[in-house]
C-alpha cells in the first residue's frame, strides 16, 4: 500500500488524520484487518438456535452468512454466489433447508457447499455447463468460526490464534462476567454515524471523555473519574475493558466549573436510575471491546452488544443488540428496558457519541498531514488503575498498526 504524504511517527501517541480519510487505507483495511488475522464479531449464538437457522452479517464490507448446520455446528461463509456474485441471502435471517441464489438458482447447503446448478446439463440437449465443471470446485469462501460465551466470531485466517489467546485471559474473564449465562434478545436497531469506523472505536476506548462530554452523567452525578475504576489493555492491544466503580460516599468537588454542577435539574421519573447489583463486584459500568469492531456494554443493568460496520470512508453503521438474561424476573427485565433509554442514538447518556465522531471527521477535513495527540496517562498501552488515561486508545492503534504493517 502506498502511504499518503505524511509519515506516521513511531510509538503510540501520534495518529495522522489521513488514516480516517484515505481511500487506499480503507481498501487495505478490508484485506488486512477484516479479512486478516483478526476475529470479527458476527452474531449471537442464540441468533441461530436450530438447524437451518441463519443470520446475515458482515466482516467489514464482506457480506457473511452464519448458519446452524444439521449437526448443530455454527458455520459461516461469504454471502456471495460463486456464479455471478449476487448475494445468496437477502434477508436478515430465517430458517431454510438450503440456500438458493435468486439470480440463477444456484443452490448451496447450510455450510455453503454448492449442491446444484440450474440447467447444468442444458435444455433439450443444448447448452449447459461443460462436462469438466465440478460442483465441489466452486463455493463461497468458508469462514473459520468460534463461539465464545454465546458470541460468534469469525476469521478468514487459518493461522489466527484461538479466540481466548487473541483477547487475552484477563479480558476474556471480563467478557465472561457479563455473558456468564444464557441471554435473550430484548431489542435491536441500527444507528448510522457520520464518521470513519475507527473514530467510534477510539471513542469506545476513551475512558475519560464520558464525565466531560456526557452532560447527563455530571448533571445527575452518575459517574466521575474520582469514583474509581480503571482500564485493562491486552498485551497485543487487541482488547480492552474499562470499569467504573460505584460513586464514592462523600461529595465530589473536583468538577466545579466543568460542564455542569447539577443546576437544580431533577428527573420526572427517578426510577430511570434505579439499578440492581447483579455482579456483586462494585462495577456499575463496564465497556469492553475486541479489535476490530466488537463492543460489549454493561451500564448499570443495561447490557448490549455493539457491532461496528464501515459503510464508507466517512460513514459507518452501528448495530445494537440489547440483552437480558433468560432467567430475568419481570421487574429486572422492566428495569433493563427502561435503562435502554440511557444509551443509543437518543440515549440520555450517550447520544453525544453519535455526534462527536462526525465533529472530528469534519474538523480534520483539511488536516490530513496533521497528527492527533494521544498522550493522556503516558505513552504505553498498558493496564492502568485510573480512567484518566488514553492507554486503551493507544492499544487500538497498537493492534491496528500491527495488522496493517504501518
Amino acid at each position: 500500500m502506498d502511504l499518503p504524504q505524511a509519515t506516521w511517527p513511531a510509538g503510540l501517541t501520534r495518529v495522522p488524520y489521513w488514516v480516517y480519510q484515505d481511500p487506499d487505507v480503507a481498501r487495505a483495511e478490508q484485506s488486512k484487518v477484516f479479512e486478516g488475522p483478526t476475529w470479527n464479531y458476527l452474531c449471537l449464538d442464540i441468533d441461530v438456535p436450530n438447524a437451518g437457522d441463519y443470520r446475515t452479517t458482515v466482516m467489514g464490507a464482506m457480506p457473511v452468512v452464519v448458519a446452524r448446520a444439521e449437526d448443530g455446528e455454527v458455520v459461516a461463509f461469504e454471502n456471495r454466489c460463486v456464479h455471478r456474485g449476487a448475494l445468496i441471502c437477502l434477508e436478515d435471517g430465517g430458517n431454510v433447508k438450503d440456500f438458493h441464489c435468486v439470480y440463477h438458482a444456484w443452490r448451496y447447503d447450510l455450510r455453503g457447499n454448492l449442491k446444484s446448478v440450474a440447467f447444468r446439463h442444458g435444455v433439450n440437449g443444448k447448452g449447459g455447463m461443460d462436462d469438466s465443471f465440478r460442483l465441489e470446485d466452486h463455493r463461497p469462501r468458508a469462514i473459520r468460526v468460534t463461539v465464545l460465551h454465546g458470541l460468534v466470531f469469525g476469521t478468514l485466517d487459518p493461522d489466527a490464534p484461538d479466540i481466548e489467546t487473541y483477547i487475552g485471559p484477563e479480558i476474556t474473564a471480563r467478557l465472561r462476567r457479563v455473558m456468564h449465562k444464557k441471554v435473550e434478545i430484548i431489542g435491536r436497531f441500527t444507528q448510522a454515524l457520520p464518521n470513519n469506523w475507527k473514530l467510534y472505536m477510539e471513542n469506545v476506548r476513551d475512558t475519560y471523555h464520558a464525565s466531560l462530554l456526557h452532560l447527563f452523567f455530571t448533571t445527575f452525578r452518575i459517574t466521575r473519574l474520582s469514583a474509581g475504576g480503571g482500564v485493562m489493555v491486552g498485551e497485543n492491544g487487541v482488547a480492552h475493558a474499562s470499569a467504573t466503580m460505584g460513586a464514592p460516599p462523600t461529595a465530589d468537588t473536583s468538577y466545579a466549573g466543568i460542564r455542569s454542577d447539577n443546576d437544580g435539574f431533577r428527573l420526572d421519573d427517578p426510577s430511570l436510575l434505579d439499578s440492581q447489583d447483579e455482579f456483586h463486584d462494585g462495577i456499575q459500568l463496564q465497556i469492553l471491546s475486541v479489535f476490530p469492531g466488537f463492543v460489549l456494554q454493561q451500564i448499570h443493568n443495561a447490557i448490549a452488544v455493539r457491532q461496528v460496520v464501515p459503510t464508507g470512508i466517512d460513514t459507518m453503521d452501528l448495530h445494537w443488540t440489547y440483552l437480558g438474561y433468560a432467567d430475568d424476573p419481570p421487574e429486572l427485565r422492566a428495569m433493563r428496558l427502561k435503562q435502554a433509554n440511557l444509551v443509543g442514538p437518543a440515549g440520555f447518556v450517550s447520544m453525544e457519541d453519535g455526534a462527536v465522531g462526525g465533529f472530528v471527521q469534519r474538523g480534520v477535513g483539511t488536516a490530513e498531514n496533521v497528527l492527533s495527540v494521544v498522550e493522556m496517562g503516558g505513552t504505553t498501552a498498558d493496564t492502568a488503575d485510573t480512567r484518566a488515561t488514553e492507554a486503551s486508545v493507544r492499544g487500538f492503534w497498537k493492534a491496528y498498526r500491527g495488522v496493517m504493517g504501518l
Side-chain angles (χ1 to χ4, degrees):
M1 180 183 74
D2 293 330
L3 293 177
Q5 293 179 357
T7 59
W8 196 332
L12 302 173
T13 65
R14 297 293 185 271
V15 179
Y17 289 126
W18 54 252
V19 79
Y20 311 109
Q21 301 171 312
D22 190 88
D24 289 336
V25 171
R27 281 189 288 270
E29 286 172 351
Q30 182 58 39
S31 61
K32 295 185 176 184
V33 175
F34 298 104
E35 298 178 30
T38 65
W39 284 99
N40 296 261
Y41 169 74
L42 299 178
C43 66
L44 293 161
D45 184 52
I46 59 171
D47 279 321
V48 288
N50 305 306
D53 288 344
Y54 75 91
R55 185 158 185 85
T56 54
T57 183
V58 292
M59 291 168 53
M62 175 183 171
V64 172
V65 178
V66 178
R68 181 80 63 175
E70 291 89 346
D71 63 358
E73 183 182 3
V74 178
V75 297
F77 55 91
E78 186 178 14
N79 188 5
R80 174 187 58 83
C81 181
V82 295
H83 178 214
R84 300 275 287 279
L87 292 172
I88 299 170
C89 296
L90 304 177
E91 304 296 331
D92 290 338
N95 182 275
V96 294
K97 292 183 178 179
D98 49 25
F99 297 104
H100 294 77
C101 176
V102 298
Y103 199 178
H104 297 96
W106 285 35
R107 183 174 64 89
Y108 302 84
D109 67 14
L110 295 175
R111 294 178 176 272
N113 299 305
L114 181 62
K115 304 306 290 184
S116 67
V117 170
F119 308 127
R120 177 184 176 186
H121 301 293
V123 178
N124 296 326
K126 299 179 181 179
M129 306 296 286
D130 188 84
D131 289 343
S132 64
F133 181 82
R134 296 288 181 270
L135 296 175
E136 58 271 21
D137 294 337
H138 303 273
R139 61 155 296 149
R141 286 180 288 181
I143 296 167
R144 180 181 163 200
V145 168
T146 191
V147 181
L148 177 66
H149 303 305
L151 303 164
V152 181
F153 291 88
T155 183
L156 278 173
D157 191 329
D159 298 320
D162 67 87
I163 188 70
E164 294 195 37
T165 300
Y166 181 74
I167 295 174
E170 290 185 328
I171 298 172
T172 298
R174 284 292 189 89
L175 187 152
R176 183 173 58 248
R177 168 185 175 271
V178 177
M179 303 295 293
H180 66 282
K181 58 182 175 178
K182 185 177 180 180
V183 296
E184 293 179 345
I185 297 169
I186 61 176
R188 66 184 355 143
F189 61 85
T190 295
Q191 179 183 5
L193 298 179
N195 53 260
N196 185 274
W197 69 276
K198 298 183 290 298
L199 286 170
Y200 186 81
M201 289 306 294
E202 279 190 308
N203 176 272
V204 163
R205 290 187 177 222
D206 183 331
T207 51
Y208 80 99
H209 80 273
S211 56
L212 301 171
L213 175 67
H214 300 318
L215 192 59
F216 189 88
F217 272 156
T218 53
T219 298
F220 297 104
R221 305 181 188 277
I222 296 172
T223 179
R224 298 191 173 193
L225 290 183
S226 55
V231 58
M232 291 181 178
V233 187
E235 182 178 355
N236 53 10
V238 160
H240 104 285
S242 64
T244 301
M245 308 305 290
T250 57
D252 176 17
T253 59
S254 62
Y255 283 72
I258 299 180
R259 296 283 282 167
S260 172
D261 192 27
N262 196 302
D263 297 325
F265 288 108
R266 296 291 184 271
L267 289 171
D268 284 341
D269 182 7
S271 68
L272 178 69
L273 299 182
D274 289 346
S275 63
Q276 186 176 121
D277 184 6
E278 294 186 78
F279 303 101
H280 309 294
D281 55 11
I283 297 176
Q284 67 170 221
L285 188 155
Q286 175 180 285
I287 301 294
L288 184 153
S289 73
V290 177
F291 183 86
F294 169 78
V295 182
L296 175 66
Q297 73 163 53
Q298 174 252 315
I299 300 176
H300 294 296
N301 303 104
I303 299 169
V305 167
R306 311 176 198 168
Q307 181 186 19
V308 174
V309 178
T311 57
I313 296 173
D314 56 1
T315 60
M316 58 161 281
D317 284 344
L318 187 60
H319 298 324
W320 294 76
T321 305
Y322 286 92
L323 304 175
Y325 296 120
D327 61 358
D328 280 347
E331 61 275 13
L332 180 54
R333 180 60 59 87
M335 185 180 292
R336 293 195 205 285
L337 291 168
K338 181 173 286 188
Q339 288 179 11
N341 291 290
L342 295 174
V343 289
F348 294 128
V349 168
S350 64
M351 61 180 174
E352 296 91 348
D353 288 330
V356 73
F359 297 162
V360 177
Q361 194 76 48
R362 291 157 58 191
V364 305
T366 59
E368 62 272 12
N369 293 334
V370 180
L371 305 173
S372 70
V373 179
V374 193
E375 282 189 46
M376 180 65 71
T379 62
T380 65
D382 298 329
T383 294
D385 60 359
T386 176
R387 288 176 290 126
T389 179
E390 290 168 322
S392 51
V393 179
R394 292 189 289 270
F396 174 86
W397 291 113
K398 182 178 182 179
Y400 180 88
R401 296 185 74 171
V403 297
M404 289 286 287
L406 292 172

